[in-house]
Amino acid sequence: MASTVIFQPSGRRGQVEQGKTLLEAARELGVDIESVCGGVKVCGKCKVKIEEGFFEKFGIDSRVEHLSPLQEEEKDFLTEEELADNFRLACCCEVNGDVLLFVPEESRGAKQVVLETGKERTFQINPAVHKYYIEMEPATLEDHRGDVERIKDTLAEKYGLPKDMTIDYFLLRRLPNIVRDAEWKVTVSVWNNKEIILVEPGLAEHSLGLAIDIGTTTVAAYLCDLRTGQSLVVDSMMNPQVRYGEDVLSRITYHMMNDDGLEKMHQAIIEGINTLAQRMTEKIGQKPEDILEVTLVFNTAMQHIALGMEPGFLGRSPFTAGTKESQNIKARDLGIKVCKGANVHTLPVEAGFVGPDNVAVLIAEEPYKEPEKIRMVIDIGTNGEIDIGNAKKLLCTSCATGPALEGAQIKFGMRAAPGAIEKVIINPETLEVSYKVIGQDSWYPDIQKTEAKGICGSGIIDMVAQLFLSGVIDKSGRFNLKLNHPRVRRGEDGKPEYVVAWADETSIGKDVAFTQADVRAVQLAKSALYVGSRYLMEKLGVENLDSVTLAGAFGSYIDKESAMVIGMFPDCDLENVAAVGNAAGDGAKLALLDTGKREEATWIARHVEFVETAIEPDFQMRFAAAMAFPHSTDKFPHIQHLLDRIPKR
């Protein structure tokens, strides 16, 4: 008998013969788990966390009881807290039923490639938190003002700050000792000229802030100097919530199906933020307590879960957010372990699933400052957002792109990590393939043993485009099985597929193939983006685009020609199609370092017009038309020369 085993955050899943260990299952499915001892139960490096509950999207009920009982060796390496939290050693537990498990970062053999960088941007340095050094007259019998009042009077006299500022309660409790130990010479951190959040002895110059882009799949973080605007440390991780679902709807469903679902997902992302804060500050010899301000951007569902808000109503019409306004919340109230008095600032929501992350993209890219040209900005991810317009008018929408473009729902799909095929070229005459693997400098066939184990997002887009341009699949996406070529065949399930890498080239000992179902999954994702784009163009009253900006990690790695060949976005001169990196992360940094950008975010969130495309009466008809490559009827003059060269087979 076989059971379903799902590994997160890699997204790899498959049927595993019962009686095999999780470590053996990982190797079969191409999941890298650290195992220094080779699986003989003496290193303790292969820790995994078993997630319990019913996962509707996968149709499985995952339980710890679906594994063999705890072994003595596991008790030697796992703490009581880990045992209580369903941690196991992958080499020790055998599969006896369906199970979904999360591989923590320290147990992963290969680090996920997450785009953390954006482009150079000009901005004003005006953070919410400023530091002021003051020297106060000591208290005397004649001058018995309170310590708080003495600080506020001195700040008003020396720096012109208002005297009606408040002081953080946790700071207030310690204040008398701080000022006296410092002999009345202190550095005061003030938030927005409204609240004193920290008092430090002597002259304290370091001033740290943390900006975080919480994506559905990945989290990118930026530790910044609030005085200079410099990014001191950039780091990233997989979103730990991936274990509960790969897209926003599956996570909302997990919450609805499990009484403690929201709390589990909330704690997962908070623990992730704390992990990032700890290891980023360590790199510069500081502590998380030195972080004085945090900005968070996320889509609307991720916002609700991160803030512990009820997300269920986002999953049903009219898809209303709990709040659309920007928020300032004490970090300690969320469980974020930074300075006790620090605030967390979140950008506003535009509408529906167009959340603060899209607002962050907008304040980074500023299409609303373009006087004439029509710009389209697409943030491609598990949940895709599209903006179009200029200074005269700006429209936006969201698309349920799904996780296929990031490797999920693809038979050999995987996250961008060493071993992932990232670029593909198929010779249209011989139908032979060349491909490049992350972690390898050379292409196949220049190197025969490529250690490939799957295909990531950029490779998936190349794969579909190359299959189409070489005539292996037709305009509708169907395989041409009349081709007499060993790479074009029927798989074990009888469905058509194209073999990208033969088993002896890979590190998983099996052929890596791209299937008919994989093509369909990409068609569904690209159709959602294309239809959303065309609706916005029509609502704006334009026929052509002057430029297309691809934002986000995925949008920065894909080949723009391949993307247009399959019809991910409307026709545009490829010279005017540009990738700008993680623009949402850039926007989060801008909001951290410049309060003017926060005001700008509030303004644009109110003025951009949201279009709900899914309720349009002809949506299904348009969606079906957009399934074709690049489209069933729309013209693509800028790539017509490529389409004209497709072999007639």
Side-chain angles (χ1 to χ4, degrees), residues 539-606:
K539 300 289 184 183
L540 195 62
V542 298
E543 283 295 323
N544 301 298
L545 299 172
D546 292 305
S547 69
V548 174
T549 300
L550 303 176
F554 183 75
S556 295
Y557 286 115
I558 62 174
D559 182 90
K560 58 187 180 182
E561 184 177 271
S562 293
M564 189 175 289
V565 163
I566 69 171
M568 285 185 68
F569 50 85
D571 182 73
C572 182
D573 187 340
L574 284 171
E575 291 188 0
N576 297 325
V577 178
V580 295
N582 189 358
D586 284 352
K589 284 194 294 183
L590 292 173
L592 175 70
L593 298 168
D594 181 9
T595 54
K597 278 293 184 181
R598 299 184 185 187
E599 296 172 5
E600 203 171 302
T602 297
W603 178 85
I604 192 59
R606 291 174 181 167

Side-chain angles (χ1 to χ4, degrees), residues 215-242:
T216 309
T217 305
T218 57
V219 180
Y222 311 82
L223 185 66
C224 301
D225 187 321
L226 295 178
R227 300 167 305 153
T228 66
Q230 180 185 2
S231 292
L232 302 173
V233 183
V234 181
D235 202 349
S236 59
M237 63 166 45
M238 297 298 296
N239 188 329
Q241 295 173 351
V242 166

